[in-house]
Amino acid sequence: MKGGKPLTSTRPRMGPRRITGIETEYGCLVDPPLQVSEVIRAVRDWIFQEQRFGLIDLHDRDWDEPAGNGGFLFNGGRVYLDMGHLEYCTPECATVRDVLRFDRAGDLLLNQALGALGLLGRVTFVRNNIDHYTGATFGCHENYSLLRSAPLTSKNVLSLLAFLTLRGLLCGAGRVGSSQAPRLRQDAGRRAEEHPFQISQRADYIQNDFFEWVQHNRAIINTRDEPLADPRLYRRLHLIHGDTNVLPASLFLKVGTTRLMFDLLEEDDLPALALQDPVGAFRQLSRILRPPWPVRLADGAMGDAIEILSQYRSRAVRRFEGRDEETDAILGLWGRVLSELGSDPSRLVGVVDWVTKEHLLRIFSEGEGVDWGDPWLEAQDLEYHSVDPDRCLGLALADLGGMWVSDQLPEACISPPGDTRAGARSALMRRIAKGPGGYVLDWDSVQWDGEERTYLLDPFDSTARGREGTRRPGEF
């Protein structure tokens, strides 16, 4: 490539591969007189101090991301401040297990920072999506690579939208109360109907099926076309409607089933299913805690959400069962969760976040004699999401009997995945760290003083050596 060195590869495709990454915006709870803004800056500065875990940005990335606001990590991920929150992005991951491992590494990184700064016990980071006091929301954004050649027909897009709408039953994080944003102008100022507990933290804040922004008019499917890779070969699907999970099995199921839906999409084999009102269905289902979960289909007929999700799973089983151990683990967990949701959701304590949280908070409410609107219960809701394993109510009940268990977390804080371009970027960053001079880092390129820009257009290439040419879409 003229003006730089493209990193490409001609390796043949070895099984299905898809790049996935997660962005987590952390809530921060502090004891007075500490201030959240000061704490998150101190944590960020500790992470990048003397290049401890990565390289701080030396350039402005955008009007709201000035130089020094954040930087890239040696594990391939990124840490920065965004809208008053500290945000951690995983590196590009090619497997669901790596997504879980590097997502959890972000929690460990923050706990290490608090310990080093003497703030443990006075500051707590929480991986949730709502502020009960202000009603504000903050996100968990998912990113999935998709072939540019994938058949984005109306039938396929509406089917994908239906799955993403119903997916909350499998992986919602649960929440106390409601804080519903108006969908229509005439609804402004109208008080939302109170609900003691919901399945999804984000359902009240999603207002559209499709839209390109992430802070206003939030949508189930974000339509911004920003591949951060070779745009001739890839798209990047950016999802902002999902909850931040605590239980490993919930995150494994959320990411795993969604990747399988993109596999079906690329094979043009999604079932012909569409909902009449996805946003309305998302909010309605979030308020129903026991089966059945009825939804209206696009043709006006009524359907059952569990039966519809079973159709997606059956299609994935037919196509992909037996292709690898991870796929079979996803399909197995998916089948178990659908079966238990349809009969006795309480059997999923430790597996599904919303079921586990509702179980814990119901015991607490009955034991302490407090109702669901009590601030004490909201405080326990937050404790469920603490990243401190000694405080986290959710992890105390986690099912750790499957492939979703993460190991080697300390290593994941400093070393990247071995099968994506995160490895190439990390290697280049290590070279930069050894010498003086300026540099510019981004997801798809690296440049430093005296060197041509190196383009990381192939998200599957982990090597830091340039090769001429580009890869055709089928040559993963």
Side-chain angles (χ1 to χ4, degrees):
M1 177 177 294
K2 186 176 180 180
K5 300 175 292 183
L7 298 188
T8 62
S9 172
T10 57
R11 294 188 303 261
R13 182 171 184 171
M14 300 297 291
R17 303 183 71 193
R18 184 174 312 285
I19 295 296
T20 307
I22 290 182
E23 308 162 32
T24 301
E25 297 177 0
Y26 289 90
C28 184
L29 309 175
V30 302
D31 290 343
L34 294 172
Q35 298 294 315
V36 170
S37 59
E38 296 174 355
V39 168
I40 61 177
R41 286 197 298 267
V43 168
R44 175 204 59 195
D45 293 345
W46 181 86
I47 289 172
F48 293 106
Q49 185 181 49
E50 298 181 352
Q51 303 173 349
R52 181 177 280 115
F53 287 99
L55 302 178
I56 198 78
D57 291 333
L58 300 181
H59 64 289
D60 294 352
R61 293 178 58 84
D62 207 337
W63 66 269
D64 59 347
E65 280 198 78
N69 184 67
F72 279 90
L73 305 172
F74 292 127
N75 76 351
R78 181 169 172 78
V79 166
Y80 58 100
L81 306 186
D82 181 30
M83 304 293 290
H85 294 274
L86 189 144
E87 183 161 344
Y88 167 79
C89 306
T90 69
E92 301 93 330
C93 298
T95 67
V96 181
R97 292 191 69 184
D98 267 354
V99 172
L100 268 67
R101 189 161 71 97
F102 284 94
D103 175 69
R104 199 62 65 179
D107 296 354
L108 178 57
L109 199 60
L110 299 191
N111 283 327
Q112 288 180 350
L114 293 180
L117 294 169
L119 294 175
L120 282 177
R122 302 168 62 202
V123 174
T124 302
F125 283 104
V126 291
R127 40 186 300 132
N128 76 326
N129 304 109
I130 51 172
D131 183 332
H132 288 293
Y133 182 71
T134 66
T137 183
F138 30 101
C140 173
H141 296 183
E142 305 160 55
N143 298 278
Y144 302 88
S145 67
L146 186 69
L147 291 180
R148 180 67 65 173
S149 59
L152 295 180
T153 62
S154 176
K155 170 257 185 183
N156 284 338
V157 171
L158 292 177
S159 180
L160 177 64
L161 179 63
F163 169 79
L164 294 173
T165 301
L166 305 181
R167 186 190 70 168
L169 295 178
L170 308 176
C171 53
R175 63 159 295 179
V176 173
S178 57
S179 48
Q180 185 166 317
R183 290 192 65 190
L184 302 173
R185 182 175 299 175
Q186 58 264 33
D187 294 334
R190 184 180 300 170
R191 185 174 179 82
E193 181 183 353
E194 291 295 331
H195 291 270
F197 189 86
Q198 289 192 62
I199 288 173
S200 170
Q201 295 201 354
R202 293 282 275 179
D204 284 352
Y205 300 92
I206 300 300
Q207 298 174 287
N208 214 332
D209 302 345
F210 307 96
F211 203 65
E212 62 180 335
W213 293 356
V214 297
Q215 294 176 359
H216 306 284
N217 203 3
R218 298 180 184 93
I220 296 174
I221 295 180
N222 182 265
T223 58
R224 182 176 58 191
D225 189 4
E226 186 183 14
L228 300 178
D230 189 335
R232 299 165 297 178
L233 305 182
Y234 303 104
R235 301 178 188 272
R236 176 173 63 98
L237 268 293
H238 189 65
L239 304 179
I240 67 172
H241 76 301
D243 295 350
T244 305
N245 291 110
V246 172
L247 296 176
S250 277
L251 180 55
F252 185 76
L253 190 61
K254 176 175 74 176
V255 174
T257 57
T258 305
R259 284 167 55 105
L260 287 175
M261 292 304 100
F262 290 132
D263 290 347
L264 287 174
L265 172 59
E266 289 181 345
E267 298 287 349
D268 198 15
D269 197 22
L270 283 169
L273 292 166
L275 302 179
Q276 186 177 90
D277 178 10
V279 175
F282 191 26
R283 293 184 177 181
Q284 173 190 343
L285 293 176
S286 181
R287 290 158 165 77
I288 303 174
L289 304 184
R290 297 294 182 269
W293 283 279
V295 291
R296 190 170 297 280
L297 303 177
D299 63 4
M302 294 301 296
D304 178 78
I306 298 299
E307 293 179 359
I308 295 171
L309 286 169
S310 296
Q311 292 185 50
Y312 286 100
R313 180 181 178 273
S314 296
R315 192 68 60 97
V317 166
R318 188 185 70 185
R319 274 279 185 174
F320 307 123
E321 187 176 36
R323 72 178 181 184
D324 58 64
E325 184 181 6
E326 182 173 276
T327 297
D328 286 350
I330 296 165
L331 292 171
L333 180 60
W334 192 357
R336 173 190 169 190
V337 169
L338 287 175
S339 175
E340 304 292 13
L341 282 176
S343 56
D344 183 4
S346 66
R347 295 176 182 172
L348 295 172
V349 170
V351 175
V352 173
D353 270 311
W354 72 264
V355 174
T356 307
K357 182 188 286 185
E358 197 262 351
H359 167 78
L360 285 170
L361 295 186
R362 185 174 296 280
I363 292 175
F364 183 84
S365 173
E366 294 172 354
E368 297 295 336
V370 297
D371 62 37
W372 285 89
D374 195 294
W376 197 2
L377 215 60
E378 293 178 348
Q380 297 306 304
D381 188 337
L382 292 177
E383 288 294 336
Y384 182 93
H385 294 269
S386 174
V387 303
D388 182 347
D390 294 329
R391 295 184 57 171
C392 179
L393 299 181
L395 288 179
L397 292 180
D399 182 333
L400 301 178
M403 187 179 284
W404 45 86
V405 179
S406 298
D407 56 8
Q408 298 179 319
L409 293 185
E411 179 69 17
C413 289
I414 57 175
S415 299
D419 52 1
T420 74
R421 70 176 177 198
R425 186 170 53 252
S426 179
L428 293 169
M429 288 172 58
R430 294 285 186 184
R431 289 169 57 186
I432 292 172
K434 292 179 180 178
Y439 54 83
V440 178
L441 305 174
D442 213 332
W443 293 104
D444 54 3
S445 66
V446 174
Q447 185 175 21
W448 68 98
D449 287 354
E451 297 283 344
E452 289 184 328
R453 183 182 296 270
T454 299
Y455 290 92
L456 310 176
L457 297 182
D458 180 353
F460 296 100
D461 192 342
S462 62
T463 65
R465 58 182 184 272
R467 297 182 184 178
E468 294 301 324
T470 56
R471 174 188 280 179
R472 294 190 299 274
E475 296 181 335
F476 297 158

